[in-house]
Amino acid sequence: MNAPVRRLRADRVTLAHGGGGKAMRELIEDVFVSVFRPDGLEDQARLQAAALAEPGARLAFTTDGFVVDPVEFPGGDIGRIAVCGTVNDLVVGGARPLWLSAAFIIEEGCEVALLRRIAASMQAAAEEAGVAIVTGDTKVVGRGSADRVFVTTSGVGVIPAGRALAADRVRPGDVAIVNGVLGDHGAAILAARGDMALSTDVASDCQPLGALVEAVLAAAPGTRAARDATRGGLASALNEIAEAAGCGIVIDETALPLRTEVKGLCEILGLDPLYLANEGTLVLFAPEHEADAALAAMRSVPAGRDAVAIGRAVGDHPGRVVMQTVFGGRRIVDMLVGEQLPRIC
Amino acid sequence: MNAPVRRLRADRVTLAHGGGGKAMRELIEDVFVSVFRPDGLEDQARLQAAALAEPGARLAFTTDGFVVDPVEFPGGDIGRIAVCGTVNDLVVGGARPLWLSAAFIIEEGCEVALLRRIAASMQAAAEEAGVAIVTGDTKVVGRGSADRVFVTTSGVGVIPAGRALAADRVRPGDVAIVNGVLGDHGAAILAARGDMALSTDVASDCQPLGALVEAVLAAAPGTRAARDATRGGLASALNEIAEAAGCGIVIDETALPLRTEVKGLCEILGLDPLYLANEGTLVLFAPEHEADAALAAMRSVPAGRDAVAIGRAVGDHPGRVVMQTVFGGRRIVDMLVGEQLPRIC
């Protein structure tokens, strides 16, 4: 790029900022490129990674759209969640995340200051996760055709040779471990919407999990699978694993890590914390002989301080997740049916 | 995946289809996965390509959001444009496109039949372009928070060793060539909106350009740069190249390929066809001694049948595009200022 970065003078986004001309270039260069600092301004990023050329290495590729409402909330914003969510989709498959793309669909009238905060938040989260935002796009739609801003991130990473984290590798006897308390993201969004007149100090758990998974794989290389428990919560992640592996899963209600505030919120509103969304919480399955090593490795990194074993895979009831309740009974934990909370991420 | 594909019984999308639970799985599996047929249903695609491991090969990565209105129009739909647009962003950089991701933001109430048509159209375009749609995501927002459906695609490709198409490589004397008539996409969308009471047979030029660029690079390996003339039209693509290369560009108005209908439409509405969007039209710069070879190669493939040289790069007026008009005068062709037509792609 030879020319200096164009400055954007507008306070709010207009349709002209989506038109492919000068106004769009100002928006892109001043608000996004100046923060993300990609190499060059071609329509594509051109990237080299020695890790991709190693024998047996595979490329991991994932995408997620983000429509969270409100766009800013305790513990994060739509930008932080867009980076962490896509990074975590890569790392739960054993990939080392490298590069992200970011596409913005912006409603006419959206405040430029909000976009600047989102871009700064994305860049900070990307640095925290050790990835680069290398390419992007902006579109603008008229008032009422979107809600402020939607962000879609895609991610590319490398799965080193020999790594094979996958839900269908889970076997009866494997131990299920979560890295921290459940439901903080869902509770934080619920409270931030304000329509429940709830006041709580709970912040979203929104965080990248690459360091955590690397630590676990170093200490417990036989780890079978990991899944981040986002939309649909822990219950949906466990059901997906049970179905893919063709085994049953039993979890222990007394072992589930929950903040008192989140537990209280769920009791007041009749919500089940197993279905509350998380944005920095995963469940993984390690073979029994490596479970202690996996747990210790998780606890050695900040994102795994509160790690705890919550149950195990079993040969009974294939495809089903069952919870041992505090009262000594058992109940089936189904996938989420219907909608618990729209626009949670 | 062990379980059979879940069937979706709903006619319209509800908020539950975005909830992360059973309804979402039904929507994703029945409408998208059954058509795109990715390998496995993990949150990430895991991919191997020998071409990525070749010495000197680089990875190309790009993203684009699509908000075109109407979502279906003569010559294509939002799905076809989402595939072709991202494929073309890869190929104009000399990349061979391999894999796409697709993220859908869906408005509550959107017809499931529309989503099925879009998915089928995307798969057909992907096959035409020789790429696979390997991963995706769906989100649902309430009525009035989006407009039926937005699609964001990202693309990954390989740039073989030794290829270096880039705007800043253009040099004075290089010949500018376009592969076909200008403005069909913009004209087709304008007519399809119906609010101009215009009737025209013009269809969008929406098409993948991989075969065209491969043919050109085989015949004219010294080709400097290519740019698809999408939002902002040919004028904006040329201005970007002039600015990046630090040279001037002169184009000849009499050489510009335009359909009579598009010319007429522009005259009636006071639009400049140089700014009309295209979705299957590119401009490339070849060194003078390879220009005939590049032109012949373009004409040898269907997407280049109407290829024609339209001008050249010059040492004068660096960064500026100038048009020799039919009347023998000269006028500056600036970047698009403001907005010609919102939601063109």
Side-chain angles (χ1 to χ4, degrees), chain A residues 118-139:
Chain A
I118 291 170
S121 168
M122 291 180 80
Q123 181 60 24
E127 287 171 16
E128 201 178 325
V131 298
I133 300 168
V134 295
T135 189
D137 181 58
T138 58
K139 291 290 184 305

Side-chain angles (χ1 to χ4, degrees), chain B residues 59-70:
Chain B
L59 181 142
F61 184 25
T62 189
T63 194
D64 255 326
F66 294 88
V67 297
V68 64
D69 173 33

Side-chain angles (χ1 to χ4, degrees), chain B residues 103-154:
Chain B
F104 300 86
I105 294 172
I106 305 168
E107 185 190 12
E108 180 189 13
C110 179
E111 318 86 302
V112 171
L114 171 67
L115 297 179
R116 291 191 197 276
R117 292 196 299 277
I118 291 170
S121 169
M122 291 180 81
Q123 181 59 22
E127 286 171 16
E128 203 179 323
V131 298
I133 301 169
V134 294
T135 190
D137 181 58
T138 58
K139 292 290 185 308
V140 179
V141 298
R143 270 174 214 275
S145 293
D147 188 6
R148 298 180 81 189
V149 58
F150 301 144
V151 185
T152 298
T153 43
S154 300

Side-chain angles (χ1 to χ4, degrees), chain B residues 4-6 11 19 21 27 47-48 88 115 126 156 172 180-181 221 227 234 257 271 311 318 332 335 342:
Chain B
V5 166
R6 291 176 170 82
D11 291 332
L27 172 70
L47 307 157
Q48 237 156 348
N88 292 345
L115 297 179
V156 170
V181 294
R227 189 64 65 111
L234 180 66
L271 294 171
I332 289 173
M335 279 195 83

Side-chain angles (χ1 to χ4, degrees), chain B residues 81-109:
Chain B
I81 213 177
V83 169
C84 294
T86 290
V87 162
N88 292 345
D89 275 350
L90 291 172
V91 303
V92 295
R96 295 189 173 129
L98 295 170
W99 305 300
L100 297 190
S101 66
F104 300 86
I105 294 172
I106 305 168
E107 185 190 12
E108 180 189 13

Side-chain angles (χ1 to χ4, degrees), chain A residues 29 36 46 54 102 118 125 127 150 165 171 174 183 218 221 226-227 230 250 256 308 311 322 341 344:
Chain A
E29 292 181 18
F36 301 152
R46 295 156 187 197
E54 279 172 19
I118 291 170
E127 287 171 16
F150 301 144
L165 287 182
R171 295 286 169 270
D174 291 353
R227 189 64 67 110
T230 54
V250 176
L256 295 178
V308 62
V322 168
L341 199 57
I344 193 72

Side-chain angles (χ1 to χ4, degrees), chain A residues 125-203:
Chain A
E127 287 171 16
E128 201 178 325
V131 298
I133 300 168
V134 295
T135 189
D137 181 58
T138 58
K139 291 290 184 305
V140 180
V141 298
R143 270 174 213 275
S145 293
D147 188 7
R148 300 180 82 190
V149 58
F150 301 144
V151 185
T152 297
T153 43
S154 299
V156 171
V158 181
I159 306 173
R163 282 199 184 173
L165 287 182
D168 62 8
R169 292 184 62 241
V170 172
R171 295 286 169 270
D174 291 353
V175 178
I177 306 172
V178 296
N179 64 306
V181 294
L182 300 171
D184 284 6
H185 179 72
I189 295 295
L190 200 59
R193 288 209 185 136
D195 42 23
M196 303 283 186
L198 291 165
S199 145
T200 161
D201 292 333
V202 177

Side-chain angles (χ1 to χ4, degrees), chain A residues 2 6 18 22 43-47 59 61-62 64-65 89-90 137-139 154 165 231 243-244 336, chain B residues 1-2 6 22 43-47 59 61-62 64-65 89-90 137-139 154 165 231 243-244 336:
Chain A
N2 301 319
R6 290 176 171 82
K22 281 187 176 173
D43 277 343
Q44 54 173 242
R46 295 156 187 197
L47 306 157
L59 182 142
F61 185 25
T62 189
D64 255 326
D89 275 350
L90 292 173
D137 181 58
T138 58
K139 291 290 184 305
S154 299
L165 287 182
R231 259 189 303 179
E243 186 182 288
L336 179 62
Chain B
M1 206 36 221
N2 300 317
R6 291 176 170 82
K22 280 187 178 174
D43 278 343
Q44 57 173 239
R46 295 156 187 199
L47 307 157
L59 181 142
F61 184 25
T62 189
D64 255 326
D89 275 350
L90 291 172
D137 181 58
T138 58
K139 292 290 185 308
S154 300
L165 287 182
R231 261 190 301 179
E243 186 182 288
L336 178 61

